[in-house]
Amino acid sequence: MKILDRYIAKTLLKYSLSVMVVLVGIFAFFKFLEEVGDIGRASYTLFDALAYVGLLIPSIVYALSSLIILLGCILGLGYLAGNSELIIMRGAGISVVEITKTTLKVSLVFIVIMIIFGEFISPLFSDYAKKYRAQALGESVISSSQQGFWLRDGNNFIQVDKNIDGRIFEKITLINLNTPSTLDSVVYSDKAVFDGKNMVLQKSNYHQINSDQEFAVIGQKTLQQYLTEVAFDQELIKSLKKEPKEFSTWQLFRRVQFLSNNDLSTDIYEVELYQRIMKPLTLIAMIILSLPFVFGSLRDSSLGRKIFTGVVISLFFELSSRLGGMISLRFDLNHLLSASLPTVVVFVLAIFMLRRVSTR
């Protein structure tokens, strides 16, 4: 049985790698076409464009991992079915369930590799690619940090007009509250330095609001430095300019936790986090769902048509899982339920269809 397992694993791996090369090549080519228009700007050359696209390949692979694994398994088993090798295995007493277990073991190994790849390698390459491209175009190393942001830190609100590099900010407004409805002071500075724990505002205009009297009295003075301790860290600042899909799962969890602690909206991050958690289970469910189409075609001349039907149905459910997150945001539904419901439906349908095939 070990020899047979290795043979099935080798076949599935070969087709998965073939699918990966084709899909990644197509997406990388279109990404390169997007960069062609910038070639010649500043010192951005053809080599720089190729290097930038090359650095993005890990993130492309991770984004397409579900499709790669799914198509690799279906095409690999379709190849075995087309050569009547699955019929021989069935005739030798190997059940559909045993073949399914072998397929899932190979898929799980691939899934684990892809998760490690996407959580640790892809973010590093993507960040470096952005910096590399920005430098070649003569822009700031982190051009996306030119935009501002708002943060709530306990009873304080911090508005930054320009985030230079995660350590130096320009045009900062710090609003301090005594109570959720009582303003204590407002501090404005053209520049601030953040060391990961404290924020030091340089040459600040300090406005103290005294609301104990009948009319509020505002006192103003200029400070050379104003230091305030903050609860957030450097990683949060770095993550402010990223889309939720660019976070690792751990970063998403920390982001949701921080926003929740400060009573800020976490919807878009929760949806991405739950979909990320459910992604391996959804992929396993889709693989199980696709297998009955292969086994059900062993005595059917239209094997290609049935394999294609299995792929379409599986991809439809993956699309449904993504749409579930968008729908939950639009109608303010339970995000965990919206992320898990398509997977549960696929699992139930897949097990039902697999049992029907295995009893034939």
Side-chain angles (χ1 to χ4, degrees):
M1 189 66 183
K2 290 184 177 179
I3 296 177
L4 184 59
D5 287 350
R6 286 198 296 268
Y7 177 71
I8 294 176
K10 180 181 177 181
T11 303
L12 298 182
L13 180 61
K14 179 178 72 175
Y15 276 88
S16 296
L17 291 176
S18 300
V19 170
M20 182 179 71
V21 170
V22 173
L23 290 180
V24 172
I26 293 173
F27 277 79
F29 175 72
F30 281 104
K31 188 64 180 178
F32 172 75
L33 291 181
E34 294 178 9
E35 298 300 310
V36 170
D38 291 325
I39 294 177
R41 281 181 53 195
S43 59
Y44 196 60
T45 64
L46 175 62
F47 175 80
D48 292 325
L50 291 173
Y52 171 67
V53 174
L55 290 169
L56 290 180
I57 285 179
S59 61
I60 296 175
V61 172
Y62 182 60
L64 298 174
S65 59
S66 298
L67 191 57
I68 290 171
I69 297 171
L70 177 64
L71 290 179
C73 289
I74 293 178
L75 294 177
L77 290 175
Y79 168 80
L80 296 178
N83 289 342
S84 301
E85 294 178 61
L86 289 183
I87 295 178
I88 297 173
M89 294 178 193
R90 295 290 302 278
I94 301 174
S95 66
V96 173
V97 174
E98 290 174 324
I99 298 176
T100 301
K101 287 180 179 179
T102 301
T103 303
L104 288 179
K105 284 191 292 186
V106 176
S107 301
L108 284 173
V109 173
F110 208 171
I111 289 171
V112 171
I113 293 175
M114 285 294 186
I115 290 175
I116 295 174
F117 193 79
E119 292 293 323
F120 299 101
I121 298 177
S122 175
L124 294 177
F125 276 73
S126 296
D127 290 342
Y128 183 76
K130 292 178 182 178
K131 294 179 182 179
Y132 180 88
R133 182 179 185 276
Q135 287 178 328
L137 289 171
E139 300 173 352
S140 168
V141 173
I142 307 178
S143 59
S144 60
S145 63
Q146 297 295 321
Q147 300 176 4
F149 59 83
W150 277 89
L151 276 180
R152 179 176 178 178
D153 185 39
N155 284 332
N156 301 328
F157 290 88
I158 301 172
Q159 191 271 326
V160 174
D161 186 66
K162 186 177 293 185
N163 174 10
I164 303 302
D165 59 358
R167 295 184 299 271
I168 300 176
F169 307 139
E170 291 185 1
K171 296 183 179 179
I172 308 95
T173 303
L174 175 63
I175 302 173
N176 302 309
L177 303 178
N178 280 325
T179 66
S181 60
T182 306
L183 185 63
D184 176 68
S185 62
V186 177
V187 186
Y188 174 82
S189 175
D190 286 331
K191 181 180 178 182
V193 178
F194 178 55
D195 62 6
K197 184 178 180 181
N198 299 306
M199 185 179 294
V200 181
L201 283 70
Q202 310 289 342
K203 294 183 179 179
S204 308
N205 294 323
Y206 181 85
H207 304 271
Q208 179 69 48
I209 292 89
N210 185 358
S211 57
D212 295 336
Q213 304 177 23
E214 183 177 356
F215 298 98
V217 178
I218 301 176
Q220 179 179 350
K221 57 183 176 179
T222 301
L223 304 176
Q224 289 300 314
Q225 282 190 346
Y226 180 87
L227 186 146
T228 180
E229 186 175 350
V230 293
F232 51 84
D233 57 14
Q234 200 75 49
E235 291 300 317
L236 176 66
I237 298 298
K238 290 180 180 179
S239 69
L240 287 173
K241 305 319 297 177
K242 295 181 180 179
E243 295 294 327
K245 63 182 180 180
E246 297 181 270
F247 290 113
S248 67
T249 304
W250 174 245
Q251 288 174 328
L252 276 172
F253 175 77
R254 290 188 61 196
R255 178 78 164 175
V256 169
Q257 190 177 45
F258 176 84
L259 294 174
S260 298
N261 291 338
N262 288 277
D263 298 324
L264 299 174
S265 175
T266 62
D267 291 345
I268 189 172
Y269 299 100
E270 284 187 11
V271 168
E272 180 66 26
L273 177 61
Y274 294 142
Q275 287 184 341
R276 193 82 60 85
I277 293 173
M278 295 302 299
K279 184 176 180 179
L281 297 178
T282 303
L283 183 57
I284 292 172
M286 288 192 299
I287 292 173
I288 297 176
L289 177 64
S290 304
L291 291 174
F293 289 91
V294 177
F295 289 111
S297 305
L298 294 179
R299 294 183 177 89
D300 196 335
S301 59
S302 58
L303 174 62
R305 179 174 59 84
K306 295 221 173 166
I307 291 177
F308 176 76
T309 304
V311 173
V312 171
I313 292 178
S314 299
L315 294 181
F316 171 77
F317 277 107
E318 182 181 14
L319 179 61
S320 299
S321 66
R322 296 183 181 182
L323 288 177
M326 299 172 62
I327 293 173
S328 68
L329 286 174
R330 176 63 180 83
F331 297 101
D332 196 23
L333 304 177
N334 184 285
H335 303 316
L336 179 58
L337 179 62
S338 299
S340 59
L341 186 59
T343 302
V344 174
V345 173
V346 174
F347 259 120
V348 172
L349 181 61
I351 296 300
F352 173 75
M353 294 180 62
L354 195 60
R355 286 190 62 182
R356 286 188 58 186
V357 172
S358 61
T359 55
R360 291 180 182 176

PDB file of all heavy atoms in Angstrom, residues 86-114:
ATOM      1  N   LEU A  86      -7.415   3.682 -11.899  1.00  0.00           N
ATOM      2  CA  LEU A  86      -8.327   3.649 -10.764  1.00  0.00           C
ATOM      3  C   LEU A  86      -9.199   2.397 -10.804  1.00  0.00           C
ATOM      4  O   LEU A  86      -9.543   1.832  -9.753  1.00  0.00           O
ATOM      5  CB  LEU A  86      -9.205   4.901 -10.748  1.00  0.00           C
ATOM      6  CG  LEU A  86      -8.510   6.226 -10.381  1.00  0.00           C
ATOM      7  CD1 LEU A  86      -9.525   7.357 -10.348  1.00  0.00           C
ATOM      8  CD2 LEU A  86      -7.805   6.122  -9.038  1.00  0.00           C
ATOM      9  N   ILE A  87      -9.571   1.952 -12.001  1.00  0.00           N
ATOM     10  CA  ILE A  87     -10.349   0.715 -12.119  1.00  0.00           C
ATOM     11  C   ILE A  87      -9.540  -0.473 -11.618  1.00  0.00           C
ATOM     12  O   ILE A  87     -10.054  -1.359 -10.917  1.00  0.00           O
ATOM     13  CB  ILE A  87     -10.779   0.495 -13.590  1.00  0.00           C
ATOM     14  CG1 ILE A  87     -11.739   1.601 -14.023  1.00  0.00           C
ATOM     15  CG2 ILE A  87     -11.425  -0.870 -13.767  1.00  0.00           C
ATOM     16  CD1 ILE A  87     -12.180   1.494 -15.470  1.00  0.00           C
ATOM     17  N   ILE A  88      -8.256  -0.488 -11.961  1.00  0.00           N
ATOM     18  CA  ILE A  88      -7.376  -1.572 -11.508  1.00  0.00           C
ATOM     19  C   ILE A  88      -7.251  -1.547  -9.988  1.00  0.00           C
ATOM     20  O   ILE A  88      -7.284  -2.592  -9.321  1.00  0.00           O
ATOM     21  CB  ILE A  88      -5.994  -1.456 -12.176  1.00  0.00           C
ATOM     22  CG1 ILE A  88      -6.129  -1.626 -13.691  1.00  0.00           C
ATOM     23  CG2 ILE A  88      -5.020  -2.464 -11.596  1.00  0.00           C
ATOM     24  CD1 ILE A  88      -4.855  -1.375 -14.458  1.00  0.00           C
ATOM     25  N   MET A  89      -7.116  -0.336  -9.421  1.00  0.00           N
ATOM     26  CA  MET A  89      -7.028  -0.219  -7.963  1.00  0.00           C
ATOM     27  C   MET A  89      -8.306  -0.719  -7.305  1.00  0.00           C
ATOM     28  O   MET A  89      -8.258  -1.452  -6.309  1.00  0.00           O
ATOM     29  CB  MET A  89      -6.780   1.244  -7.570  1.00  0.00           C
ATOM     30  CG  MET A  89      -5.450   1.801  -8.015  1.00  0.00           C
ATOM     31  SD  MET A  89      -5.266   3.561  -7.571  1.00  0.00           S
ATOM     32  CE  MET A  89      -3.832   4.008  -8.539  1.00  0.00           C
ATOM     33  N   ARG A  90      -9.443  -0.331  -7.868  1.00  0.00           N
ATOM     34  CA  ARG A  90     -10.721  -0.797  -7.307  1.00  0.00           C
ATOM     35  C   ARG A  90     -10.832  -2.313  -7.427  1.00  0.00           C
ATOM     36  O   ARG A  90     -11.326  -2.993  -6.526  1.00  0.00           O
ATOM     37  CB  ARG A  90     -11.886  -0.126  -8.029  1.00  0.00           C
ATOM     38  CG  ARG A  90     -11.978   1.378  -7.835  1.00  0.00           C
ATOM     39  CD  ARG A  90     -12.387   1.744  -6.429  1.00  0.00           C
ATOM     40  NE  ARG A  90     -13.672   1.148  -6.050  1.00  0.00           N
ATOM     41  CZ  ARG A  90     -14.868   1.649  -6.367  1.00  0.00           C
ATOM     42  NH1 ARG A  90     -14.942   2.768  -7.069  1.00  0.00           N
ATOM     43  NH2 ARG A  90     -15.966   1.031  -5.985  1.00  0.00           N
ATOM     44  N   GLY A  91     -10.389  -2.852  -8.587  1.00  0.00           N
ATOM     45  CA  GLY A  91     -10.432  -4.299  -8.780  1.00  0.00           C
ATOM     46  C   GLY A  91      -9.514  -5.052  -7.832  1.00  0.00           C
ATOM     47  O   GLY A  91      -9.768  -6.218  -7.505  1.00  0.00           O
ATOM     48  N   ALA A  92      -8.426  -4.393  -7.391  1.00  0.00           N
ATOM     49  CA  ALA A  92      -7.497  -5.021  -6.453  1.00  0.00           C
ATOM     50  C   ALA A  92      -7.990  -4.951  -5.012  1.00  0.00           C
ATOM     51  O   ALA A  92      -7.282  -5.376  -4.092  1.00  0.00           O
ATOM     52  CB  ALA A  92      -6.127  -4.361  -6.564  1.00  0.00           C
ATOM     53  N   GLY A  93      -9.177  -4.402  -4.814  1.00  0.00           N
ATOM     54  CA  GLY A  93      -9.751  -4.356  -3.469  1.00  0.00           C
ATOM     55  C   GLY A  93      -9.515  -3.074  -2.709  1.00  0.00           C
ATOM     56  O   GLY A  93      -9.828  -2.985  -1.518  1.00  0.00           O
ATOM     57  N   ILE A  94      -8.968  -2.069  -3.392  1.00  0.00           N
ATOM     58  CA  ILE A  94      -8.734  -0.774  -2.732  1.00  0.00           C
ATOM     59  C   ILE A  94     -10.000   0.061  -2.856  1.00  0.00           C
ATOM     60  O   ILE A  94     -10.481   0.305  -3.969  1.00  0.00           O
ATOM     61  CB  ILE A  94      -7.544  -0.038  -3.363  1.00  0.00           C
ATOM     62  CG1 ILE A  94      -6.281  -0.901  -3.246  1.00  0.00           C
ATOM     63  CG2 ILE A  94      -7.326   1.318  -2.693  1.00  0.00           C
ATOM     64  CD1 ILE A  94      -5.092  -0.338  -3.970  1.00  0.00           C
ATOM     65  N   SER A  95     -10.537   0.474  -1.740  1.00  0.00           N
ATOM     66  CA  SER A  95     -11.816   1.178  -1.739  1.00  0.00           C
ATOM     67  C   SER A  95     -11.651   2.647  -2.113  1.00  0.00           C
ATOM     68  O   SER A  95     -10.541   3.196  -2.105  1.00  0.00           O
ATOM     69  CB  SER A  95     -12.469   1.074  -0.359  1.00  0.00           C
ATOM     70  OG  SER A  95     -11.695   1.772   0.602  1.00  0.00           O
ATOM     71  N   VAL A  96     -12.776   3.252  -2.432  1.00  0.00           N
ATOM     72  CA  VAL A  96     -12.799   4.681  -2.737  1.00  0.00           C
ATOM     73  C   VAL A  96     -12.339   5.484  -1.523  1.00  0.00           C
ATOM     74  O   VAL A  96     -11.617   6.485  -1.653  1.00  0.00           O
ATOM     75  CB  VAL A  96     -14.212   5.113  -3.170  1.00  0.00           C
ATOM     76  CG1 VAL A  96     -14.286   6.634  -3.314  1.00  0.00           C
ATOM     77  CG2 VAL A  96     -14.610   4.442  -4.470  1.00  0.00           C
ATOM     78  N   VAL A  97     -12.748   5.042  -0.343  1.00  0.00           N
ATOM     79  CA  VAL A  97     -12.380   5.748   0.884  1.00  0.00           C
ATOM     80  C   VAL A  97     -10.862   5.745   1.080  1.00  0.00           C
ATOM     81  O   VAL A  97     -10.272   6.764   1.466  1.00  0.00           O
ATOM     82  CB  VAL A  97     -13.077   5.114   2.099  1.00  0.00           C
ATOM     83  CG1 VAL A  97     -12.584   5.752   3.408  1.00  0.00           C
ATOM     84  CG2 VAL A  97     -14.586   5.246   1.986  1.00  0.00           C
ATOM     85  N   GLU A  98     -10.212   4.613   0.798  1.00  0.00           N
ATOM     86  CA  GLU A  98      -8.753   4.536   0.952  1.00  0.00           C
ATOM     87  C   GLU A  98      -8.040   5.450  -0.042  1.00  0.00           C
ATOM     88  O   GLU A  98      -7.050   6.118   0.309  1.00  0.00           O
ATOM     89  CB  GLU A  98      -8.293   3.086   0.765  1.00  0.00           C
ATOM     90  CG  GLU A  98      -8.703   2.167   1.906  1.00  0.00           C
ATOM     91  CD  GLU A  98      -8.360   0.717   1.625  1.00  0.00           C
ATOM     92  OE1 GLU A  98      -8.467   0.298   0.447  1.00  0.00           O
ATOM     93  OE2 GLU A  98      -7.980   0.010   2.568  1.00  0.00           O
ATOM     94  N   ILE A  99      -8.526   5.495  -1.275  1.00  0.00           N
ATOM     95  CA  ILE A  99      -7.929   6.398  -2.272  1.00  0.00           C
ATOM     96  C   ILE A  99      -8.155   7.846  -1.856  1.00  0.00           C
ATOM     97  O   ILE A  99      -7.272   8.701  -2.015  1.00  0.00           O
ATOM     98  CB  ILE A  99      -8.521   6.120  -3.663  1.00  0.00           C
ATOM     99  CG1 ILE A  99      -8.197   4.692  -4.098  1.00  0.00           C
ATOM    100  CG2 ILE A  99      -7.973   7.120  -4.677  1.00  0.00           C
ATOM    101  CD1 ILE A  99      -8.831   4.295  -5.420  1.00  0.00           C
ATOM    102  N   THR A 100      -9.343   8.112  -1.323  1.00  0.00           N
ATOM    103  CA  THR A 100      -9.652   9.470  -0.857  1.00  0.00           C
ATOM    104  C   THR A 100      -8.722   9.873   0.278  1.00  0.00           C
ATOM    105  O   THR A 100      -8.232  11.009   0.328  1.00  0.00           O
ATOM    106  CB  THR A 100     -11.113   9.551  -0.383  1.00  0.00           C
ATOM    107  OG1 THR A 100     -11.981   9.202  -1.461  1.00  0.00           O
ATOM    108  CG2 THR A 100     -11.438  10.964   0.100  1.00  0.00           C
ATOM    109  N   LYS A 101      -8.472   8.945   1.216  1.00  0.00           N
ATOM    110  CA  LYS A 101      -7.561   9.234   2.333  1.00  0.00           C
ATOM    111  C   LYS A 101      -6.165   9.570   1.828  1.00  0.00           C
ATOM    112  O   LYS A 101      -5.525  10.512   2.318  1.00  0.00           O
ATOM    113  CB  LYS A 101      -7.504   8.042   3.287  1.00  0.00           C
ATOM    114  CG  LYS A 101      -8.753   7.847   4.131  1.00  0.00           C
ATOM    115  CD  LYS A 101      -8.591   6.645   5.050  1.00  0.00           C
ATOM    116  CE  LYS A 101      -9.840   6.450   5.921  1.00  0.00           C
ATOM    117  NZ  LYS A 101      -9.717   5.263   6.798  1.00  0.00           N
ATOM    118  N   THR A 102      -5.679   8.817   0.852  1.00  0.00           N
ATOM    119  CA  THR A 102      -4.354   9.095   0.293  1.00  0.00           C
ATOM    120  C   THR A 102      -4.315  10.466  -0.370  1.00  0.00           C
ATOM    121  O   THR A 102      -3.365  11.242  -0.193  1.00  0.00           O
ATOM    122  CB  THR A 102      -3.978   8.010  -0.738  1.00  0.00           C
ATOM    123  OG1 THR A 102      -3.982   6.729  -0.109  1.00  0.00           O
ATOM    124  CG2 THR A 102      -2.597   8.282  -1.321  1.00  0.00           C
ATOM    125  N   THR A 103      -5.384  10.779  -1.120  1.00  0.00           N
ATOM    126  CA  THR A 103      -5.465  12.090  -1.771  1.00  0.00           C
ATOM    127  C   THR A 103      -5.457  13.219  -0.749  1.00  0.00           C
ATOM    128  O   THR A 103      -4.762  14.234  -0.915  1.00  0.00           O
ATOM    129  CB  THR A 103      -6.745  12.176  -2.621  1.00  0.00           C
ATOM    130  OG1 THR A 103      -6.746  11.114  -3.581  1.00  0.00           O
ATOM    131  CG2 THR A 103      -6.811  13.508  -3.350  1.00  0.00           C
ATOM    132  N   LEU A 104      -6.208  13.043   0.338  1.00  0.00           N
ATOM    133  CA  LEU A 104      -6.279  14.077   1.370  1.00  0.00           C
ATOM    134  C   LEU A 104      -4.949  14.219   2.103  1.00  0.00           C
ATOM    135  O   LEU A 104      -4.563  15.329   2.481  1.00  0.00           O
ATOM    136  CB  LEU A 104      -7.400  13.758   2.358  1.00  0.00           C
ATOM    137  CG  LEU A 104      -8.829  13.940   1.822  1.00  0.00           C
ATOM    138  CD1 LEU A 104      -9.847  13.565   2.886  1.00  0.00           C
ATOM    139  CD2 LEU A 104      -9.057  15.369   1.352  1.00  0.00           C
ATOM    140  N   LYS A 105      -4.240  13.114   2.325  1.00  0.00           N
ATOM    141  CA  LYS A 105      -2.935  13.206   2.994  1.00  0.00           C
ATOM    142  C   LYS A 105      -1.957  14.022   2.167  1.00  0.00           C
ATOM    143  O   LYS A 105      -1.225  14.869   2.705  1.00  0.00           O
ATOM    144  CB  LYS A 105      -2.375  11.799   3.253  1.00  0.00           C
ATOM    145  CG  LYS A 105      -3.023  11.072   4.415  1.00  0.00           C
ATOM    146  CD  LYS A 105      -2.264   9.816   4.794  1.00  0.00           C
ATOM    147  CE  LYS A 105      -2.364   8.755   3.725  1.00  0.00           C
ATOM    148  NZ  LYS A 105      -1.744   7.476   4.155  1.00  0.00           N
ATOM    149  N   VAL A 106      -1.954  13.763   0.856  1.00  0.00           N
ATOM    150  CA  VAL A 106      -1.072  14.547  -0.022  1.00  0.00           C
ATOM    151  C   VAL A 106      -1.504  16.016  -0.027  1.00  0.00           C
ATOM    152  O   VAL A 106      -0.676  16.925   0.056  1.00  0.00           O
ATOM    153  CB  VAL A 106      -1.112  13.974  -1.452  1.00  0.00           C
ATOM    154  CG1 VAL A 106      -0.275  14.839  -2.393  1.00  0.00           C
ATOM    155  CG2 VAL A 106      -0.620  12.541  -1.464  1.00  0.00           C
ATOM    156  N   SER A 107      -2.812  16.247  -0.094  1.00  0.00           N
ATOM    157  CA  SER A 107      -3.322  17.615  -0.119  1.00  0.00           C
ATOM    158  C   SER A 107      -3.011  18.347   1.181  1.00  0.00           C
ATOM    159  O   SER A 107      -2.666  19.543   1.158  1.00  0.00           O
ATOM    160  CB  SER A 107      -4.835  17.603  -0.356  1.00  0.00           C
ATOM    161  OG  SER A 107      -5.154  16.960  -1.568  1.00  0.00           O
ATOM    162  N   LEU A 108      -3.117  17.653   2.311  1.00  0.00           N
ATOM    163  CA  LEU A 108      -2.838  18.291   3.600  1.00  0.00           C
ATOM    164  C   LEU A 108      -1.383  18.725   3.702  1.00  0.00           C
ATOM    165  O   LEU A 108      -1.080  19.793   4.241  1.00  0.00           O
ATOM    166  CB  LEU A 108      -3.187  17.339   4.745  1.00  0.00           C
ATOM    167  CG  LEU A 108      -4.684  17.173   5.050  1.00  0.00           C
ATOM    168  CD1 LEU A 108      -4.897  16.082   6.091  1.00  0.00           C
ATOM    169  CD2 LEU A 108      -5.270  18.483   5.549  1.00  0.00           C
ATOM    170  N   VAL A 109      -0.478  17.893   3.197  1.00  0.00           N
ATOM    171  CA  VAL A 109       0.943  18.271   3.200  1.00  0.00           C
ATOM    172  C   VAL A 109       1.148  19.532   2.363  1.00  0.00           C
ATOM    173  O   VAL A 109       1.835  20.480   2.780  1.00  0.00           O
ATOM    174  CB  VAL A 109       1.809  17.122   2.649  1.00  0.00           C
ATOM    175  CG1 VAL A 109       3.257  17.581   2.481  1.00  0.00           C
ATOM    176  CG2 VAL A 109       1.757  15.918   3.586  1.00  0.00           C
ATOM    177  N   PHE A 110       0.524  19.563   1.192  1.00  0.00           N
ATOM    178  CA  PHE A 110       0.623  20.726   0.315  1.00  0.00           C
ATOM    179  C   PHE A 110      -0.003  21.957   0.973  1.00  0.00           C
ATOM    180  O   PHE A 110       0.517  23.068   0.878  1.00  0.00           O
ATOM    181  CB  PHE A 110      -0.065  20.431  -1.007  1.00  0.00           C
ATOM    182  CG  PHE A 110       0.489  21.204  -2.174  1.00  0.00           C
ATOM    183  CD1 PHE A 110       0.095  20.910  -3.470  1.00  0.00           C
ATOM    184  CD2 PHE A 110       1.419  22.218  -2.000  1.00  0.00           C
ATOM    185  CE1 PHE A 110       0.595  21.605  -4.555  1.00  0.00           C
ATOM    186  CE2 PHE A 110       1.936  22.933  -3.061  1.00  0.00           C
ATOM    187  CZ  PHE A 110       1.520  22.625  -4.341  1.00  0.00           C
ATOM    188  N   ILE A 111      -1.141  21.763   1.652  1.00  0.00           N
ATOM    189  CA  ILE A 111      -1.819  22.877   2.322  1.00  0.00           C
ATOM    190  C   ILE A 111      -0.948  23.462   3.417  1.00  0.00           C
ATOM    191  O   ILE A 111      -0.816  24.690   3.552  1.00  0.00           O
ATOM    192  CB  ILE A 111      -3.173  22.407   2.898  1.00  0.00           C
ATOM    193  CG1 ILE A 111      -4.166  22.138   1.768  1.00  0.00           C
ATOM    194  CG2 ILE A 111      -3.745  23.453   3.847  1.00  0.00           C
ATOM    195  CD1 ILE A 111      -5.441  21.468   2.224  1.00  0.00           C
ATOM    196  N   VAL A 112      -0.332  22.589   4.232  1.00  0.00           N
ATOM    197  CA  VAL A 112       0.546  23.057   5.317  1.00  0.00           C
ATOM    198  C   VAL A 112       1.719  23.846   4.751  1.00  0.00           C
ATOM    199  O   VAL A 112       2.087  24.914   5.266  1.00  0.00           O
ATOM    200  CB  VAL A 112       1.040  21.867   6.158  1.00  0.00           C
ATOM    201  CG1 VAL A 112       2.118  22.314   7.138  1.00  0.00           C
ATOM    202  CG2 VAL A 112      -0.116  21.237   6.926  1.00  0.00           C
ATOM    203  N   ILE A 113       2.315  23.335   3.669  1.00  0.00           N
ATOM    204  CA  ILE A 113       3.441  24.039   3.035  1.00  0.00           C
ATOM    205  C   ILE A 113       2.998  25.408   2.537  1.00  0.00           C
ATOM    206  O   ILE A 113       3.697  26.419   2.724  1.00  0.00           O
ATOM    207  CB  ILE A 113       4.022  23.203   1.874  1.00  0.00           C
ATOM    208  CG1 ILE A 113       4.670  21.925   2.424  1.00  0.00           C
ATOM    209  CG2 ILE A 113       5.053  24.016   1.096  1.00  0.00           C
ATOM    210  CD1 ILE A 113       5.154  20.981   1.349  1.00  0.00           C
ATOM    211  N   MET A 114       1.830  25.466   1.913  1.00  0.00           N
ATOM    212  CA  MET A 114       1.318  26.729   1.392  1.00  0.00           C
ATOM    213  C   MET A 114       1.021  27.720   2.517  1.00  0.00           C
ATOM    214  O   MET A 114       1.262  28.928   2.379  1.00  0.00           O
ATOM    215  CB  MET A 114       0.056  26.492   0.567  1.00  0.00           C
ATOM    216  CG  MET A 114       0.313  25.890  -0.799  1.00  0.00           C
ATOM    217  SD  MET A 114       1.239  27.038  -1.869  1.00  0.00           S
ATOM    218  CE  MET A 114       1.222  26.133  -3.414  1.00  0.00           C
TER     219      MET A 114
END
